[in-house]
Amino acid sequence: MKGMLSGLAWCVLALAAPVRAADVQSAGPIKDPKRLDHEIATQAAKVKELQTGVERQESLTHQNDAKLKQQDQAIAELQQQLKALKAAPPGNAHP
């Protein structure tokens, strides 16, 4: 699952790059070093935000996976109990 979410983040970045490049080209080359540094910092912040989102989703996925495993175990135990009750002779039933 982690690979899928990381792949998703990379796909978003890959799809956004041509759009961003078109925006930069239409605005013309950035000649001001301060503006270039600002653009780089802005893009780095966006990447960091995306990475944080992916990490958050991965954490939630792991938590949900653990809950599902616990539920699966509880279901298996209940099924065993039900099977044992069905197999017990009718005279052994508790009132």
Side-chain angles (χ1 to χ4, degrees):
M1 183 59 85
K2 181 179 180 180
M4 184 176 79
L5 291 175
S6 296
L8 179 61
W10 283 111
C11 288
V12 169
L13 290 174
L15 292 173
V19 173
R20 182 69 186 137
D23 288 346
V24 170
Q25 289 175 356
S26 65
I30 301 175
K31 295 180 181 179
D32 181 13
K34 288 182 183 179
R35 184 171 169 212
L36 180 61
D37 289 342
H38 177 72
E39 284 294 320
I40 291 171
T42 300
Q43 293 301 315
K46 288 180 183 178
V47 168
K48 181 65 177 169
E49 184 179 329
L50 287 171
Q51 288 173 334
T52 301
V54 168
E55 289 170 0
R56 185 174 29 251
Q57 290 299 319
E58 288 175 347
S59 175
L60 288 173
T61 299
H62 291 300
Q63 290 173 8
N64 289 335
D65 186 47
K67 287 178 185 178
L68 286 174
K69 285 180 182 178
Q70 288 176 343
Q71 290 175 348
D72 286 344
Q73 184 177 359
I75 289 170
E77 290 172 3
L78 289 171
Q79 287 174 335
Q80 286 178 344
Q81 291 175 9
L82 181 60
K83 186 177 179 180
L85 286 173
K86 287 181 178 180
N92 289 346
H94 295 284

